[in-house]
């Protein structure tokens, strides 16, 4: 695939809107993902591993905005409706210049569900958030589909992960996990996937004991 262009002023403004000082680990993850997207022709396949609250979401948001602001359709896949809805609210707030939609499960036969699926296919939607509904056979991404972000991959089943592979063929994939399953971690350690880790909590975060 063609690499993304170098970051422009819109991307710099998006990064500057982050209200916290990035940790050293966070900055390294930002740099790793940027290098994957901008400097390589090989599609990104990177695992971001870090505890809850260590900053994985901001890494994903920057990747999503980088791709979407350059005309690529992007998707964020979450294991639960609650988490997907949380991401949707965050995306609406951080990306007012893009068309962001939430595809809910159980909407295959509804007018709204059919409209959203049609707009995903024709590329009207820039950013789509959803649960396993995004992996359904009634969902066909547009020709400009370029990035899939998978949150909490360890909570998806084998069949869903196989469907992810089919959906993500030839595009960038960024996976977030707090507790990587052994197979996922083994793939990273063996070089099949690239691995970035967040080991340090943001300033002010208390350890849970």
């Amino acid at each position: 695939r063609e690499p993304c262009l170098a970051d422009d002023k819109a991307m710099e403004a998006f990064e500057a809107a982050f209200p916290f000082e990035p940790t050293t680990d966070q900055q390294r993850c930002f740099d790793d993902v940027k290098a994957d997207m901008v400097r390589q022709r090989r599609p990104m396949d990177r695992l971001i591993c870090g505890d809850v609250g260590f900053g994985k979401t901001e890494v994903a948001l920057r990747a999503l905005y980088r791709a979407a602001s350059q005309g690529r359709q992007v998707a964020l896949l979450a294991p639960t409706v609650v988490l997907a809805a949380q991401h949707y609210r965050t995306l609406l707030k951080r990306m007012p210049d893009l068309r962001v939609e939430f595809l809910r499960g159980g909407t295959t036969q509804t007018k709204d569900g059919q409209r959203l699926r049609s707009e995903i296919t024709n590329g009207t939607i820039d950013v789509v958030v959803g649960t396993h509904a995004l992996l359904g056979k009634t969902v066909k991404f547009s020709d400009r589909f370029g990035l899939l972000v998978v949150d909490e991959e360890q909570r998806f089943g084998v069949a869903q992960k196989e469907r992810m592979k089919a959906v993500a063929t030839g595009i960038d994939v960024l996976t977030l996990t707090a507790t990587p399953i052994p197979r996922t971690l083994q793939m990273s350690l063996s070089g099949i996937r690239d691995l970035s880790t967040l080991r340090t909590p943001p300033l002010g975060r208390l350890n849970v004991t």
Side-chain angles (χ1 to χ4, degrees):
R1 60 103 174 102
E2 285 296 315
C4 288
L5 301 174
D7 289 351
D8 58 11
K9 289 185 177 179
M11 185 69 208
E12 291 172 2
F14 183 85
E15 293 176 343
F18 184 51
F20 306 103
E21 185 68 28
T23 64
T24 301
D25 285 349
Q26 252 188 322
Q27 189 59 56
R28 186 170 59 249
C29 288
F30 295 153
D31 293 342
D32 287 346
V33 172
K34 179 179 177 179
D36 289 344
M37 297 179 73
V38 175
R39 297 176 195 160
Q40 293 188 7
R41 301 187 74 87
R42 174 175 61 87
M44 172 173 67
D45 189 5
R46 182 169 293 277
L47 176 68
I48 305 293
C49 183
D51 200 359
V52 174
F54 275 37
K56 298 187 296 296
T57 299
E58 182 64 20
V59 177
L61 290 174
R62 295 188 184 196
L64 288 164
Y65 190 77
R66 177 178 293 110
S69 65
Q70 295 189 27
R72 303 186 186 193
Q73 187 178 62
V74 300
L76 197 166
L77 178 65
T80 67
V81 173
V82 171
L83 187 55
Q86 180 181 323
H87 285 315
Y88 176 59
R89 290 191 295 270
T90 300
L91 287 161
L92 285 175
K93 183 178 179 180
R94 292 288 301 275
M95 304 182 187
D97 53 329
L98 296 172
R99 172 86 184 276
V100 181
E101 292 289 353
F102 182 12
L103 182 68
R104 292 168 173 80
T107 60
T108 306
Q109 302 301 324
T110 67
K111 283 187 177 180
D112 281 347
Q114 291 173 355
R115 175 183 56 81
L116 278 181
R117 284 168 172 77
S118 175
E119 291 177 339
I120 290 170
T121 302
N122 67 30
T124 307
I125 295 172
D126 301 308
V127 186
V128 59
V129 186
T131 58
H132 60 278
L134 285 178
L135 302 174
K137 292 185 178 179
T138 60
V139 176
K140 292 181 172 57
F141 291 97
S142 75
D143 292 340
R144 61 187 186 93
F145 186 41
L147 170 65
L148 174 65
V149 174
V150 182
D151 195 8
E152 297 196 24
E153 184 196 39
Q154 76 278 0
R155 296 177 66 178
F156 289 95
V158 174
Q160 291 168 330
K161 289 179 182 177
E162 288 302 314
R163 180 62 182 155
M164 284 179 210
K165 288 180 187 176
V167 167
T169 301
I171 68 163
D172 289 332
V173 179
L174 184 65
T175 305
L176 315 178
T177 184
T179 52
I181 58 174
R183 175 174 166 76
T184 301
L185 189 56
Q186 180 60 38
M187 287 174 69
S188 298
L189 295 176
S190 64
I192 297 172
R193 267 180 169 172
D194 295 309
L195 174 67
S196 298
T197 55
L198 292 160
R199 301 180 188 277
T200 52
L203 188 65
R205 183 181 188 274
L206 299 176
N207 287 327
V208 178
T209 56

